[in-house]
């Protein structure tokens, strides 16, 4: 119980730090970088779509962070085996799915238009990693759903 409490607290601290870093990225770093790129090469039509896509991915990660925070709150209140937890996991799955769809589109576009295999390989690695993470989350959701059903059945018996 003590280890769980420390882990939840530590995870919350790091989620706040990560969320703060992502806010800086989406409001200062990414727009500034893309604005600089637009000044250096004003005729590149992909700069602003790249900025929008990058900020979209940051927002997807932020949604996952918020949903994780909500799940941690449910853990603290011993309400993790409820429908509310399943809804927050669904939010995470949909955020990852949205980011994945855009990532696959970028991967395919870059893959078909690249001169160098470096960028497509990095995007392939990211796509594979996000795919694996999303599938693990779907499996964990199924396990949570089963545990929720079992807990509800146990409480009905008692």
């Amino acid at each position: 119980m003590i280890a769980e409490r420390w882990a939840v607290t530590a995870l919350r601290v790091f989620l706040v730090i990560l969320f703060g870093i992502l806010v800086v990225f989406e409001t200062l770093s990414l727009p500034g970088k893309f604005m600089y790129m637009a000044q250096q090469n004003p005729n590149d039509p992909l700069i602003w779509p790249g900025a929008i896509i990058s900020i979209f991915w940051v927002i997807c990660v932020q949604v996952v962070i918020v949903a994780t925070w909500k799940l941690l709150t449910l853990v603290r209140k011993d309400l993790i085996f409820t429908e509310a937890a399943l809804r927050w996991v669904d939010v995470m799955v949909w955020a990852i799915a949205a980011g994945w769809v855009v990532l696959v589109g970028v991967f395919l576009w870059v893959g078909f238009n690249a001169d160098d295999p470096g960028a497509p390989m990095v995007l392939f690695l990211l796509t594979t990693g996000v795919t694996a993470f999303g599938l693990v989350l779907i499996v964990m959701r199924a396990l949570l759903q089963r545990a929720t059903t079992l807990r509800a059945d146990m409480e009905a018996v008692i």
Side-chain angles (χ1 to χ4, degrees):
M1 185 62 126
I2 293 174
E4 175 186 311
R5 210 166 181 192
W6 278 100
V8 168
T9 302
L11 182 53
R12 282 185 173 207
V13 167
F14 283 101
L15 288 175
V16 168
I17 293 168
L18 180 58
F19 195 89
I21 292 168
L22 290 172
V23 167
V24 170
F25 265 83
E26 76 183 327
T27 59
L28 299 174
S29 183
L30 290 173
K33 176 64 177 170
F34 283 102
M35 196 174 307
Y36 175 77
M37 290 168 56
Q39 290 171 352
Q40 297 301 310
N41 191 1
N43 297 326
D44 188 351
L46 298 176
I47 289 176
W48 295 114
I52 292 166
I53 289 170
S54 298
I55 292 170
F56 173 74
W57 284 331
V58 170
I59 291 169
C60 288
V61 173
Q62 287 174 323
V63 168
V64 171
I65 290 170
V66 169
T68 303
W69 185 279
K70 293 292 193 175
L71 288 171
L72 290 173
T73 301
L74 294 174
V75 167
R76 278 262 168 110
K77 294 179 179 178
D78 196 28
L79 296 173
I80 193 64
F81 298 112
T82 62
E83 291 296 319
L86 291 171
R87 284 193 300 272
W88 284 110
V89 174
D90 286 342
V91 167
M92 294 171 74
V93 168
W94 283 107
I96 291 168
W100 180 86
V101 167
V102 174
L103 181 60
V104 168
V106 169
F107 168 61
L108 291 174
W109 189 88
V110 169
F112 286 119
N113 294 304
D115 298 335
D116 177 358
M121 289 304 293
V122 169
L123 288 169
F124 180 62
L125 175 66
L126 286 172
T127 303
T128 303
V130 171
T131 302
F133 182 70
L135 291 173
V136 166
L137 193 58
I138 290 169
V139 169
M140 296 301 285
R141 186 204 182 281
L143 292 173
L144 177 63
Q145 188 170 20
R146 286 184 188 150
T148 302
T149 302
L150 289 173
R151 184 166 183 175
D153 290 348
M154 261 186 7
E155 288 176 357
V157 170
I158 296 173

